[in-house]
Amino acid sequence: AWRPCQGIGYFEVAIISGESAPPPANAPPACVAVGICSKSFALGGKMPGWDRKSVGYHGDDGNFFHGSGRGSQFHRRFGLGDTIGVGLIQLDQNTTLLFFTLNGTLFHSSKFITVRDDARQKPALYPVVALDHPSLALVVNFGTGNRSFLFDDPLTHGAL
């Protein structure tokens, strides 16, 4: 079971099935979003990053979201067959470094974030994954048991 991150945390999400045909012309593509959130983030009806209680990297457009339904350009889109990693390092009581991997490769390591909560400004942080289409299936890996990550340990290998 995941415990709130205090220090270093990392998890990966593999997208193992998705839409078998392109969406209709007017329909947006199916979306998987990964990120972190506070305990008070509402899990229904919105994607990670659409409020100040979460951050998210969205696969349908490759944007990073934090505090708004309008994202900023971040990295490429991701989908079926991809594995997305989310990591964070609590550098001190007020600074959290957030990083992402795609298919085992670090691509961004300079997002310093503050996630807010109703009760306190610096809450415990939890992994969050959202999907918006019934055809999507995922495998989430927290590195427990004998499961390894596609991404090597960032501290051991000096990636961060």
Side-chain angles (χ1 to χ4, degrees):
W2 176 272
R3 293 182 300 263
C5 178
Q6 296 177 352
I8 300 172
Y10 182 79
F11 70 102
E12 290 181 339
V13 177
I15 304 171
I16 60 171
S17 71
E19 295 179 286
S20 58
N26 295 338
C31 181
V32 173
V34 298
I36 59 171
C37 66
S38 70
K39 187 175 184 176
S40 65
F41 176 68
L43 295 176
K46 61 182 157 184
M47 296 296 249
W50 286 2
D51 69 15
R52 300 293 297 167
K53 299 173 185 176
S54 64
V55 298
Y57 169 38
H58 294 208
D60 62 334
D61 56 16
N63 286 348
F64 180 83
F65 291 78
H66 183 43
S68 169
R70 300 184 82 151
S72 58
Q73 186 176 359
F74 190 56
H75 197 60
R76 78 164 179 85
R77 299 186 323 175
F78 61 85
L80 181 61
D82 287 325
T83 298
I84 305 89
V86 180
L88 59 93
I89 302 172
Q90 298 273 177
L91 299 175
D92 59 39
Q93 187 172 356
N94 298 311
T95 309
T96 301
L97 172 67
L98 182 66
F99 66 93
F100 291 87
T101 65
L102 185 59
N103 300 320
T105 302
L106 178 70
F107 69 82
H108 205 282
S109 61
S110 62
K111 284 285 183 190
F112 292 92
I113 56 143
T114 299
V115 175
R116 300 195 191 300
D117 203 339
D118 294 331
R120 54 192 172 156
Q121 184 173 342
K122 196 68 175 167
L125 301 174
Y126 299 87
V128 63
V129 179
L131 352 152
D132 70 355
H133 196 277
S135 71
L136 294 166
L138 313 172
V139 173
V140 180
N141 179 6
F142 294 107
T144 57
N146 292 330
R147 298 184 67 194
S148 60
F149 294 123
L150 287 181
F151 180 55
D152 284 332
D153 180 350
L155 298 178
T156 304
H157 298 286
L160 298 177

